[in-house]
Amino acid sequence: MDDRKEVLPLRIVAARFISTDEQVGLLELDRIAADASRVIQKRYWLLWLALVATAFATLITLIPGIILTLSETPSADIVLIIGLVCFVLTMTMFASWRVFQYGGMKASAQQVALYANADDPAARNLERLFSLLQRESPLRAFYWTKNGTRRDVDHRYFFGKLRAAHVTRDGAIRSALVGPVGFWFDRELFLEADIDGLIADAKAEPSRRGAPKQYDHTNAIIALIDHPKVRALDITKKRGNQREIIELLEDWYRSRRLKVPSETQLAPYANQILETIAKNRSS
């Protein structure tokens, strides 16, 4: 192996494309993934619910329809037709997600990636990495099977709108990923390459700064300390308090015409506020 080549998780390679500080790059990847997940989550769960409903309808109509038809029961053909329609709808649910991701049933062309903010410098650097992986070339990402066998993946795996899922730690966006063939594909990918050489070839410009302070969480939290709604919270409630704190934080950002963080980003701060309130009231 070339001394300059490294075998690294694709997620680590992506972090280096984003920032010269690997840990900062990983934090940025998590932020990008959280924002992208928020964008697709509603659509994904609607599709999943529709898939479960049509699959259940197929189960309770198609199998009885076949049995009734074989037993020559009157009107069995009607039940069988309903079952076949439900089966077609189930397959349509699978197909619709593939079409959403790849622009068609086959991954034949590169799709515009789905990001909450496509102009984000971190997302642009991530796209420079994907532009290399989208080429039909010796540079191939791969994964390890359970028995330790290395399997290369086709360059078309990086054509889809949800390609950022390949470099996320976990979460909805990764479980939503499908490959160009087959169904769900959530393997952790690796890359063997000279990373510095790749960054130069892609003309990427990794950030040399520390983690960017996009959101003024500190002042937002301080501003809520004496808020009437916060003081009126029933801390014994098990549901609803986090959502109310998040809405108050969102209102604070909007009132100052600042970019509003995603709900995923605000949730940990809302939990911290609730924990602090609980401790203060118990003392």
Side-chain angles (χ1 to χ4, degrees):
M1 184 191 297
D2 189 325
D3 289 341
R4 297 180 63 185
K5 287 188 175 181
E6 299 176 271
V7 176
L8 293 170
L10 188 59
R11 175 176 165 81
I12 298 297
V13 177
R16 291 190 183 181
F17 263 68
I18 289 173
S19 175
T20 54
D21 184 328
E22 186 178 294
Q23 292 305 309
V24 172
L26 289 171
L27 289 173
E28 286 290 86
L29 275 181
D30 289 340
R31 176 181 61 79
I32 291 171
D35 287 345
S37 180
R38 177 173 50 84
V39 172
I40 73 164
Q41 199 169 32
K42 184 177 181 179
R43 181 168 184 161
Y44 176 73
W45 284 114
L46 284 174
L47 174 75
W48 184 251
L49 289 173
L51 178 62
V52 170
T54 54
F56 179 73
T58 300
L59 182 65
I60 64 175
T61 54
L62 185 58
I63 294 176
I66 294 173
I67 294 173
L68 292 173
T69 300
L70 292 175
S71 62
E72 298 182 352
T73 302
S75 302
D77 54 339
I78 296 176
V79 179
L80 182 61
I81 290 172
I82 293 173
L84 289 172
V85 169
C86 291
F87 176 75
V88 170
L89 288 174
T90 302
M91 293 300 99
T92 300
M93 295 300 103
F94 279 115
S96 65
W97 192 252
R98 181 178 296 281
V99 171
F100 166 68
Q101 185 175 331
Y102 291 109
M105 290 301 292
K106 293 183 178 180
S108 57
Q110 299 161 15
Q111 303 298 304
V112 176
L114 193 154
Y115 295 110
N117 179 10
D119 294 325
D120 186 333
R124 290 202 301 268
N125 274 335
L126 186 56
E127 279 300 289
R128 289 186 174 97
L129 169 60
F130 288 135
S131 70
L132 295 178
L133 296 172
Q134 287 164 351
R135 300 174 184 173
E136 191 172 0
S137 71
L139 180 67
R140 299 281 291 275
F142 63 91
Y143 64 90
W144 300 105
T145 63
K146 290 182 179 179
N147 62 8
T149 303
R150 171 175 165 166
R151 300 288 188 191
D152 290 347
V153 300
D154 192 274
H155 63 289
R156 296 174 300 160
Y157 276 75
F158 303 100
F159 282 4
K161 292 179 181 178
L162 308 183
R163 50 184 171 266
H166 288 298
V167 293
T168 60
R169 191 196 315 273
D170 48 29
I173 188 173
R174 187 162 180 173
S175 63
L177 185 69
V178 298
V181 293
F183 294 117
W184 313 124
F185 182 87
D186 60 356
R187 303 269 190 172
E188 181 180 13
L189 296 180
F190 296 82
L191 198 65
E192 179 182 348
D194 170 11
I195 308 305
D196 292 335
L198 282 184
I199 291 173
D201 290 344
K203 296 182 173 57
E205 299 178 354
S207 170
R208 297 183 181 277
R209 298 175 289 109
K213 185 180 178 181
Q214 281 197 329
Y215 305 113
D216 191 0
H217 293 305
T218 302
N219 284 333
I221 292 171
I222 291 173
L224 293 188
I225 291 176
D226 290 323
H227 196 287
K229 289 187 177 180
V230 172
R231 286 186 294 177
L233 280 178
D234 179 359
I235 204 64
T236 62
K237 285 172 56 180
K238 299 298 183 182
R239 302 177 63 181
N241 282 343
Q242 184 195 64
R243 179 65 255 175
E244 188 162 354
I245 294 291
I246 288 175
E247 288 176 355
L248 290 172
L249 288 169
E250 289 173 341
D251 289 343
W252 186 89
Y253 281 99
R254 291 192 192 98
S255 67
R256 285 154 182 78
R257 297 182 179 180
L258 299 173
K259 181 181 177 182
V260 180
S262 68
E263 183 174 335
T264 304
Q265 291 169 311
L266 289 176
Y269 294 97
N271 288 333
Q272 288 179 20
I273 292 172
L274 291 171
E275 289 172 5
T276 301
I277 293 171
K279 289 179 182 177
N280 289 341
R281 291 185 184 178
S282 63
S283 61

